[in-house]
Amino acid sequence: MIVTLKTILGLADAKKIAIGAFNVAELEGIQSVLGAAEELGQPVIIQFVPIHEEYIKMETLGPIMVMMADKAAVPVCVHLDHCSDFDTIKRALDMGFSSVMYDGSMLSFEENAANTKAAVEIASGYGASVEAEIGAMDSEDGAAADNCYTEPDEAEKFVKLTGIDALACSFGTVHGLYKAEPKLDFPRIKEIRDKIGIPIVMHGGSGVSDEDFKKCIANGVRKINYYTYRAKKGGEYVKKKCMETEGPVFFHDITCWAREVMTEDVGHAMEVFSGISGK
Ligand code: 13P
């Protein structure tokens, strides 16, 4: 069944766990994530990011995400990731997404807050939730720059001004592949969480160790965005299987191999985020 981000993160808060937010850019991604979530009985977030429209249009994948989330046996939030365009936000909400991220992190504090507040007003008309971001998580060299970490006082002011449901913060993670081991600022997470009183979102989950995930969750992270390693595992496994296979490889073989290994990868992430592993 489809639930909002506010509802699903409320479940996470009650148990002091994090919910995996998995970007999907293909049918096998949705099947892997929902398959693993149903197998483990865990709530989950599936999200679409507009930059993936170079692989598949939101108009194509979005309705499939909504339909499959609706039929799932676990609570599923269907979320729009990193979007700074109000028209795209409205299209996602019209399609049935239950949550959106307005990303104004590249703007001034004032502009980001004003636009985020406008996004909250739009989403509330649909009964949907909003995530926003201050601080930055992208870097040229695969490591977080010192000057882009989220300031706790700014975070507190931002949440009060906007009325958002979750805040993406910068504390040492970056999107994509890391070139250096991530150095996460755990006390900063706790300080921000204590000040803002709403769930913190970690972006750039790929490449963070299981131990570091657990420390982030203990300090207040409740949503973990994860994509690159799932996609890389799927691709590498397919490459290996193609090389090992004698005779023809059919396209349906590729989708089945990818689904098999990606379900495993996502399932492991869910076990770590939900505290099932290491109990
Ligand atoms: P990774 O691709 O680094 O896991 O990050 C995903 C993400 O943060 C999407 O917003």
Side-chain angles (χ1 to χ4, degrees), residues 198-224:
I198 60 167
I200 290 182
V201 182
M202 174 202 279
H203 282 243
S206 296
V208 174
S209 69
D210 290 357
E211 281 321 300
D212 279 356
F213 277 133
K214 286 178 191 164
K215 283 192 212 159
C216 290
I217 296 164
N219 282 287
V221 165
R222 295 288 172 257
K223 171 177 185 267
I224 298 180

mmCIF file of all heavy atoms in Angstrom, residues 198-224:
data_model
loop_
_atom_site.group_PDB
_atom_site.id
_atom_site.type_symbol
_atom_site.label_atom_id
_atom_site.label_comp_id
_atom_site.label_asym_id
_atom_site.label_seq_id
_atom_site.Cartn_x
_atom_site.Cartn_y
_atom_site.Cartn_z
ATOM 1 N N ILE A 198 12.866 16.710 13.225
ATOM 2 C CA ILE A 198 12.252 15.876 12.164
ATOM 3 C C ILE A 198 13.339 14.954 11.605
ATOM 4 O O ILE A 198 14.529 15.188 11.823
ATOM 5 C CB ILE A 198 11.619 16.728 11.015
ATOM 6 C CG1 ILE A 198 12.684 17.607 10.336
ATOM 7 C CG2 ILE A 198 10.433 17.548 11.494
ATOM 8 C CD1 ILE A 198 12.210 18.217 9.018
ATOM 9 N N PRO A 199 12.929 13.899 10.878
ATOM 10 C CA PRO A 199 13.920 12.929 10.394
ATOM 11 C C PRO A 199 14.974 13.530 9.451
ATOM 12 O O PRO A 199 14.685 14.411 8.650
ATOM 13 C CB PRO A 199 13.059 11.907 9.635
ATOM 14 C CG PRO A 199 11.713 12.024 10.240
ATOM 15 C CD PRO A 199 11.552 13.475 10.584
ATOM 16 N N ILE A 200 16.187 13.013 9.583
ATOM 17 C CA ILE A 200 17.310 13.417 8.719
ATOM 18 C C ILE A 200 17.459 12.384 7.600
ATOM 19 O O ILE A 200 17.327 11.178 7.831
ATOM 20 C CB ILE A 200 18.613 13.500 9.540
ATOM 21 C CG1 ILE A 200 18.528 14.694 10.499
ATOM 22 C CG2 ILE A 200 19.837 13.633 8.622
ATOM 23 C CD1 ILE A 200 19.771 14.912 11.331
ATOM 24 N N VAL A 201 17.747 12.888 6.405
ATOM 25 C CA VAL A 201 17.942 12.026 5.244
ATOM 26 C C VAL A 201 19.420 11.993 4.866
ATOM 27 O O VAL A 201 20.061 13.040 4.782
ATOM 28 C CB VAL A 201 17.135 12.552 4.032
ATOM 29 C CG1 VAL A 201 17.309 11.628 2.824
ATOM 30 C CG2 VAL A 201 15.661 12.721 4.392
ATOM 31 N N MET A 202 19.935 10.772 4.673
ATOM 32 C CA MET A 202 21.299 10.608 4.159
ATOM 33 C C MET A 202 21.216 10.382 2.648
ATOM 34 O O MET A 202 20.524 9.468 2.197
ATOM 35 C CB MET A 202 21.980 9.393 4.791
ATOM 36 C CG MET A 202 23.347 9.118 4.174
ATOM 37 S SD MET A 202 23.917 7.410 4.390
ATOM 38 C CE MET A 202 24.549 7.480 6.024
ATOM 39 N N HIS A 203 21.906 11.213 1.894
ATOM 40 C CA HIS A 203 22.051 10.953 0.457
ATOM 41 C C HIS A 203 23.402 10.293 0.243
ATOM 42 O O HIS A 203 24.281 10.361 1.098
ATOM 43 C CB HIS A 203 21.959 12.266 -0.330
ATOM 44 C CG HIS A 203 20.554 12.743 -0.497
ATOM 45 N ND1 HIS A 203 19.949 12.865 -1.717
ATOM 46 C CD2 HIS A 203 19.628 13.097 0.431
ATOM 47 C CE1 HIS A 203 18.709 13.283 -1.546
ATOM 48 N NE2 HIS A 203 18.481 13.440 -0.246
ATOM 49 N N GLY A 204 23.579 9.641 -0.911
ATOM 50 C CA GLY A 204 24.874 9.033 -1.213
ATOM 51 C C GLY A 204 25.157 7.829 -0.339
ATOM 52 O O GLY A 204 26.258 7.675 0.206
ATOM 53 N N GLY A 205 24.187 6.920 -0.199
ATOM 54 C CA GLY A 205 24.367 5.740 0.661
ATOM 55 C C GLY A 205 25.394 4.738 0.120
ATOM 56 O O GLY A 205 26.009 4.007 0.902
ATOM 57 N N SER A 206 25.581 4.708 -1.201
ATOM 58 C CA SER A 206 26.520 3.729 -1.776
ATOM 59 C C SER A 206 27.938 3.980 -1.286
ATOM 60 O O SER A 206 28.415 5.121 -1.335
ATOM 61 C CB SER A 206 26.533 3.840 -3.307
ATOM 62 O OG SER A 206 25.280 3.506 -3.819
ATOM 63 N N GLY A 207 28.585 2.916 -0.810
ATOM 64 C CA GLY A 207 29.989 3.031 -0.404
ATOM 65 C C GLY A 207 30.173 3.308 1.079
ATOM 66 O O GLY A 207 31.297 3.322 1.578
ATOM 67 N N VAL A 208 29.072 3.532 1.817
ATOM 68 C CA VAL A 208 29.162 3.730 3.274
ATOM 69 C C VAL A 208 29.180 2.340 3.910
ATOM 70 O O VAL A 208 28.447 1.439 3.483
ATOM 71 C CB VAL A 208 27.946 4.565 3.767
ATOM 72 C CG1 VAL A 208 27.921 4.659 5.289
ATOM 73 C CG2 VAL A 208 27.966 5.960 3.134
ATOM 74 N N SER A 209 30.042 2.144 4.922
ATOM 75 C CA SER A 209 30.142 0.807 5.526
ATOM 76 C C SER A 209 28.912 0.522 6.399
ATOM 77 O O SER A 209 28.240 1.447 6.872
ATOM 78 C CB SER A 209 31.403 0.710 6.389
ATOM 79 O OG SER A 209 31.248 1.530 7.527
ATOM 80 N N ASP A 210 28.652 -0.770 6.644
ATOM 81 C CA ASP A 210 27.509 -1.142 7.488
ATOM 82 C C ASP A 210 27.641 -0.506 8.881
ATOM 83 O O ASP A 210 26.660 -0.047 9.463
ATOM 84 C CB ASP A 210 27.431 -2.680 7.633
ATOM 85 C CG ASP A 210 27.015 -3.342 6.319
ATOM 86 O OD1 ASP A 210 26.731 -2.615 5.341
ATOM 87 O OD2 ASP A 210 26.989 -4.589 6.270
ATOM 88 N N GLU A 211 28.875 -0.471 9.389
ATOM 89 C CA GLU A 211 29.102 0.116 10.719
ATOM 90 C C GLU A 211 28.732 1.590 10.732
ATOM 91 O O GLU A 211 28.099 2.086 11.677
ATOM 92 C CB GLU A 211 30.577 -0.061 11.147
ATOM 93 C CG GLU A 211 30.908 -1.450 11.662
ATOM 94 C CD GLU A 211 29.781 -2.031 12.525
ATOM 95 O OE1 GLU A 211 29.452 -1.407 13.544
ATOM 96 O OE2 GLU A 211 29.209 -3.085 12.172
ATOM 97 N N ASP A 212 29.161 2.306 9.685
ATOM 98 C CA ASP A 212 28.852 3.745 9.609
ATOM 99 C C ASP A 212 27.345 3.987 9.422
ATOM 100 O O ASP A 212 26.791 4.936 9.985
ATOM 101 C CB ASP A 212 29.648 4.420 8.492
ATOM 102 C CG ASP A 212 31.083 4.733 8.942
ATOM 103 O OD1 ASP A 212 31.407 4.483 10.121
ATOM 104 O OD2 ASP A 212 31.869 5.221 8.113
ATOM 105 N N PHE A 213 26.690 3.116 8.654
ATOM 106 C CA PHE A 213 25.224 3.250 8.524
ATOM 107 C C PHE A 213 24.599 3.185 9.917
ATOM 108 O O PHE A 213 23.740 3.990 10.272
ATOM 109 C CB PHE A 213 24.639 2.102 7.691
ATOM 110 C CG PHE A 213 24.711 2.303 6.196
ATOM 111 C CD1 PHE A 213 25.160 1.279 5.369
ATOM 112 C CD2 PHE A 213 24.297 3.491 5.611
ATOM 113 C CE1 PHE A 213 25.209 1.444 3.989
ATOM 114 C CE2 PHE A 213 24.336 3.662 4.222
ATOM 115 C CZ PHE A 213 24.798 2.630 3.414
ATOM 116 N N LYS A 214 25.037 2.202 10.698
ATOM 117 C CA LYS A 214 24.430 2.003 12.020
ATOM 118 C C LYS A 214 24.666 3.215 12.923
ATOM 119 O O LYS A 214 23.770 3.632 13.666
ATOM 120 C CB LYS A 214 24.987 0.729 12.668
ATOM 121 C CG LYS A 214 24.417 -0.524 12.012
ATOM 122 C CD LYS A 214 25.002 -1.788 12.599
ATOM 123 C CE LYS A 214 24.624 -2.991 11.734
ATOM 124 N NZ LYS A 214 25.422 -4.167 11.981
ATOM 125 N N LYS A 215 25.881 3.795 12.837
ATOM 126 C CA LYS A 215 26.170 4.981 13.665
ATOM 127 C C LYS A 215 25.304 6.166 13.220
ATOM 128 O O LYS A 215 24.836 6.940 14.056
ATOM 129 C CB LYS A 215 27.650 5.364 13.534
ATOM 130 C CG LYS A 215 28.578 4.468 14.346
ATOM 131 C CD LYS A 215 29.966 5.081 14.391
ATOM 132 C CE LYS A 215 31.021 4.019 14.446
ATOM 133 N NZ LYS A 215 32.342 4.442 14.023
ATOM 134 N N CYS A 216 25.128 6.317 11.918
ATOM 135 C CA CYS A 216 24.284 7.422 11.417
ATOM 136 C C CYS A 216 22.855 7.256 11.921
ATOM 137 O O CYS A 216 22.216 8.225 12.349
ATOM 138 C CB CYS A 216 24.271 7.434 9.886
ATOM 139 S SG CYS A 216 25.833 7.941 9.179
ATOM 140 N N ILE A 217 22.351 6.025 11.889
ATOM 141 C CA ILE A 217 20.975 5.762 12.332
ATOM 142 C C ILE A 217 20.856 6.046 13.838
ATOM 143 O O ILE A 217 19.904 6.681 14.290
ATOM 144 C CB ILE A 217 20.555 4.313 11.978
ATOM 145 C CG1 ILE A 217 20.529 4.146 10.451
ATOM 146 C CG2 ILE A 217 19.199 3.960 12.579
ATOM 147 C CD1 ILE A 217 20.500 2.704 9.958
ATOM 148 N N ALA A 218 21.853 5.620 14.596
ATOM 149 C CA ALA A 218 21.830 5.862 16.050
ATOM 150 C C ALA A 218 21.802 7.363 16.349
ATOM 151 O O ALA A 218 21.291 7.796 17.383
ATOM 152 C CB ALA A 218 23.049 5.214 16.702
ATOM 153 N N ASN A 219 22.339 8.180 15.435
ATOM 154 C CA ASN A 219 22.377 9.632 15.659
ATOM 155 C C ASN A 219 21.196 10.387 15.055
ATOM 156 O O ASN A 219 21.106 11.599 15.203
ATOM 157 C CB ASN A 219 23.700 10.200 15.127
ATOM 158 C CG ASN A 219 24.839 9.917 16.093
ATOM 159 O OD1 ASN A 219 24.915 10.527 17.154
ATOM 160 N ND2 ASN A 219 25.686 8.963 15.760
ATOM 161 N N GLY A 220 20.305 9.689 14.334
ATOM 162 C CA GLY A 220 19.084 10.372 13.878
ATOM 163 C C GLY A 220 18.760 10.283 12.391
ATOM 164 O O GLY A 220 17.784 10.884 11.949
ATOM 165 N N VAL A 221 19.557 9.558 11.602
ATOM 166 C CA VAL A 221 19.212 9.385 10.185
ATOM 167 C C VAL A 221 18.055 8.387 10.084
ATOM 168 O O VAL A 221 18.092 7.320 10.702
ATOM 169 C CB VAL A 221 20.437 8.897 9.366
ATOM 170 C CG1 VAL A 221 20.018 8.377 7.992
ATOM 171 C CG2 VAL A 221 21.450 10.020 9.204
ATOM 172 N N ARG A 222 17.015 8.745 9.325
ATOM 173 C CA ARG A 222 15.834 7.871 9.212
ATOM 174 C C ARG A 222 15.511 7.479 7.775
ATOM 175 O O ARG A 222 14.660 6.625 7.543
ATOM 176 C CB ARG A 222 14.601 8.590 9.820
ATOM 177 C CG ARG A 222 14.726 8.831 11.322
ATOM 178 C CD ARG A 222 14.600 7.528 12.110
ATOM 179 N NE ARG A 222 14.908 7.700 13.504
ATOM 180 C CZ ARG A 222 16.055 7.320 14.072
ATOM 181 N NH1 ARG A 222 17.003 6.733 13.359
ATOM 182 N NH2 ARG A 222 16.271 7.511 15.349
ATOM 183 N N LYS A 223 16.147 8.131 6.783
ATOM 184 C CA LYS A 223 15.935 7.765 5.369
ATOM 185 C C LYS A 223 17.315 7.699 4.738
ATOM 186 O O LYS A 223 18.117 8.638 4.906
ATOM 187 C CB LYS A 223 15.065 8.816 4.676
ATOM 188 C CG LYS A 223 14.941 8.674 3.147
ATOM 189 C CD LYS A 223 13.980 9.740 2.568
ATOM 190 C CE LYS A 223 13.716 9.578 1.085
ATOM 191 N NZ LYS A 223 14.615 10.357 0.225
ATOM 192 N N ILE A 224 17.600 6.590 4.061
ATOM 193 C CA ILE A 224 18.921 6.445 3.426
ATOM 194 C C ILE A 224 18.736 6.234 1.925
ATOM 195 O O ILE A 224 18.127 5.252 1.490
ATOM 196 C CB ILE A 224 19.712 5.277 4.049
ATOM 197 C CG1 ILE A 224 19.956 5.555 5.541
ATOM 198 C CG2 ILE A 224 21.048 5.084 3.297
ATOM 199 C CD1 ILE A 224 20.728 4.472 6.285
#
